[in-house]
């Protein structure tokens, strides 16, 4: 089905057309194979970057496309409907560019054209084995040596692009306990002491499996401190607010793809001499799926328009992430049910989409954390 979109400009319509063409030409023919092999398609990311889709929300002077967030998110949605791992990769990379864009020094910002153009892929190193939701309790430490370099020791977990990134945002403790003791450092791939580990054996998104990263006396130049010392946690939260919208967009795209496939199957599959779509029980299931996906998209775009208008949007981003990812899980589950036994085998993509949907309820802050954020905002004075 074609989604009836209200886009702000003719340029945005052209951008969505370009994205659909890219999906048909470069993503759709490769997705199933790379997922089955669990191989990261680095060249596909370069193609996406060279098409101008890795820097959409960033200003033109930095190498971006200066598009509103509501447009960028609909591009993500379109990518996710074809290959979720690539949409998630774009979302994480956009997140990884934020610290340098918003808080980087003049020298650091000179890297932005390559970051936003697809030549450099980023990783965002915040989560740790003992602390995901409680990010302020991170234990990775960075201390200065006699030459002024930062020496980083610790382990990060669940790092998207961990084995493939060209640059790493490292959130490490440079001061005392709590959020105020955390700083952000920027390290290049190949920095001595930065050791990506074997990729995790994951349920879904196998072509972009995360990996732990061990920092063993990793020496980062003093001029690679991003922002001020002790500002790292603030930088992390700023980036995550926007990142939650990215994950919500991925969820909407995945849900739309599952809905479209289920409808198409229900029209063609016959039982008792009729297409199964004619049976009210299944028709009502499809109606609920369609309503949930549309509601998730509306909530997402409402939050995006607040961000574009320069208004507070973090609580609305939490709502959008919570609702859209729960919808993706329900809709992919129902799509498997529509296909019956056929939905349980890998001959049909709904099996893969069902597995992939689960991770969206976890990344960029679990949905339990989103509920905590929202509930606290309701009772705050």
């Amino acid at each position: 089905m074609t989604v009836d979109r209200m886009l702000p400009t003719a340029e945005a319509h052209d951008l969505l057309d370009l994205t659909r063409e890219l999906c048909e030409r470069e993503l759709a023919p490769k997705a199933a194979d790379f997922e089955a092999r669990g191989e990261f398609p680095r060249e596909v990311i370069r193609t996406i970057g060279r098409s101008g889709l890795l820097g959409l929300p960033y200003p033109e002077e930095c190498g971006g496309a200066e598009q509103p967030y509501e447009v960028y998110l609909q591009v993500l949605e379109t990518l996710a409907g074809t290959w979720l791992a690539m949409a998630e990769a774009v979302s994480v990379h956009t997140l990884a560019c934020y610290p340098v864009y918003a808080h980087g020094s003049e020298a650091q910002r000179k890297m932005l054209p390559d970051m936003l153009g697809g030549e450099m892929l980023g990783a965002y190193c915040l989560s740790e084995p003992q602390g995901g939701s409680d990010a302020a309790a991170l234990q990775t430490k960075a201390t200065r040596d006699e030459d002024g370099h930062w020496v980083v020791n610790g382990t990060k977990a669940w790092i998207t692009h961990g084995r493939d990134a060209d640059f790493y945002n490292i959130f490490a403790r440079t001061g005392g306990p709590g959020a105020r003791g955390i700083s952000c450092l920027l390290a290049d791939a190949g920095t001595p002491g930065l050791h990506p580990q074997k990729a995790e054996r994951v349920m879904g998104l196998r072509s972009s499996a995360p990996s732990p990263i061990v920092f063993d006396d990793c020496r980062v130049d003093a001029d690679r401190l991003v922002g001020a010392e002790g500002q790292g946690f603030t930088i992390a939260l700023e980036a995550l607010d926007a990142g939650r919208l990215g994950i919500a967009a991925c969820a909407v795209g995945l849900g739309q793809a599952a809905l479209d496939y289920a409808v198409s199957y229900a029209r063609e599959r016959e039982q008792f001499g009729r297409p199964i779509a004619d049976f009210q029980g299944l028709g009502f299931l499809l109606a609920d799926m369609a309503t949930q996906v549309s509601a998730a998209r509306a909530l997402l775009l409402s939050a995006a328009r607040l961000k574009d208008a320069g208004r507070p949007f973090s609580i609305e981003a939490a709502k959008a992430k919570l609702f859209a990812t729960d919808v993706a899980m329900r809709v992919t589950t129902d799509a498997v049910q529509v296909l019956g036994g056929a939905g349980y085998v890998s001959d049909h993509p709904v099996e893969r989409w069902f597995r992939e949907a689960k991770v969206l309820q976890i990344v960029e802050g679990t949905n339990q954390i989103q509920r905590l954020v929202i509930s606290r905002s309701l009772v705050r004075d």
Side-chain angles (χ1 to χ4, degrees):
M1 295 181 292
T2 301
V3 176
D4 187 12
R5 300 184 185 276
M6 295 177 59
L7 296 168
T9 63
E11 182 184 8
H13 283 281
D14 292 341
L15 185 57
L16 264 292
D17 288 342
L18 169 66
T19 304
R20 283 188 285 269
E21 291 172 8
L22 184 69
C23 286
E24 293 173 5
R25 184 180 71 249
E26 299 290 342
L27 273 64
K30 301 172 183 176
D33 180 50
F34 274 93
E35 287 296 328
R37 290 188 284 117
E39 179 182 340
F40 184 72
R42 185 66 179 88
E43 284 306 312
V44 173
I45 292 294
R46 285 195 178 92
T47 299
I48 291 173
R50 290 165 183 168
S51 299
L53 302 185
L54 282 183
L56 289 176
Y58 290 101
E60 291 180 353
E61 64 263 23
C62 300
E66 206 157 336
Q67 288 295 314
Y69 235 74
E70 69 165 301
V71 174
Y72 158 65
L73 293 174
Q74 291 180 82
V75 168
L76 271 188
E77 179 193 334
T78 304
L79 292 171
T82 302
W83 191 353
L84 178 63
M86 293 302 93
E88 193 245 8
V90 172
S91 180
V92 170
H93 178 75
T94 303
L95 176 78
C97 293
Y98 177 83
V100 169
Y101 164 70
H103 299 276
S105 66
E106 184 176 346
Q108 292 166 0
R109 286 171 60 87
K110 290 180 180 178
M111 301 170 63
L112 282 171
D114 283 340
M115 290 177 173
L116 301 177
E119 299 308 311
M120 298 179 68
L121 184 66
Y124 195 78
C125 305
L126 180 62
S127 294
E128 297 187 352
Q130 75 291 339
S133 296
D134 188 9
L138 64 81
Q139 297 180 14
T140 296
K141 291 185 178 180
T143 57
R144 288 187 182 273
D145 66 9
E146 63 275 7
D147 297 322
H149 292 84
W150 293 101
V151 181
V152 185
N153 285 281
T155 301
K156 295 294 181 177
W158 313 111
I159 305 305
T160 301
H161 310 148
R163 296 175 58 83
D164 301 284
D166 300 294
F167 67 92
Y168 297 80
N169 294 286
I170 307 169
F171 293 91
R173 189 162 301 286
T174 58
R180 295 182 180 179
I182 296 170
S183 299
C184 180
L185 302 171
L186 181 67
D188 297 325
T191 299
L194 192 159
H195 303 295
Q197 304 298 295
K198 183 179 179 180
E200 302 286 359
R201 299 173 62 187
V202 288
M203 181 189 298
L205 298 183
R206 291 171 179 167
S207 66
S208 185
S211 62
I213 300 178
V214 173
F215 299 95
D216 183 11
D217 287 339
C218 175
R219 297 178 79 247
V220 179
D221 289 346
D223 62 2
R224 288 300 190 93
L225 175 68
V226 181
E229 188 172 342
Q231 195 179 7
F233 195 70
T234 298
I235 295 172
L237 293 186
E238 289 175 3
L240 286 172
D241 279 343
R244 286 167 181 161
L245 293 178
I247 295 302
C250 289
V252 172
L254 190 67
Q256 185 69 55
L259 168 64
D260 291 348
Y261 199 91
V263 169
S264 178
Y265 184 89
R267 286 172 172 168
E268 297 176 3
R269 172 69 168 168
E270 291 190 357
Q271 292 287 277
F272 308 103
R274 299 163 59 188
I276 62 174
D278 287 350
F279 294 102
Q280 189 178 78
L282 195 141
F284 282 9
L285 181 63
L286 294 173
D288 286 343
M289 294 164 66
T291 301
Q292 290 165 19
V293 172
S294 292
R297 181 180 293 112
L299 188 58
L300 168 68
L301 293 178
S302 175
R305 287 163 185 153
L306 286 175
K307 176 174 170 53
D308 288 333
R311 296 172 59 182
F313 72 97
S314 61
I315 301 303
E316 298 308 307
K319 292 176 184 176
K321 195 273 182 184
L322 166 64
F323 186 76
T325 57
D326 280 353
V327 162
M329 193 72 252
R330 286 195 298 271
V331 169
T332 54
T333 300
D334 289 343
V336 171
Q337 192 69 23
V338 170
L339 271 67
Y344 199 67
V345 297
S346 58
D347 295 357
H348 295 274
V350 294
E351 177 269 342
R352 170 165 60 88
W353 296 337
F354 170 76
R355 290 186 286 104
E356 291 175 339
K358 186 61 203 175
V359 76
L360 299 177
Q361 295 178 302
I362 299 170
V363 296
E364 304 285 7
T366 66
N367 283 6
Q368 286 70 33
I369 288 296
Q370 306 312 316
R371 288 180 170 91
L372 183 64
V373 168
I374 296 164
S375 64
R376 285 179 175 173
S377 75
L378 296 174
V379 298
R380 192 166 48 217
D381 292 334

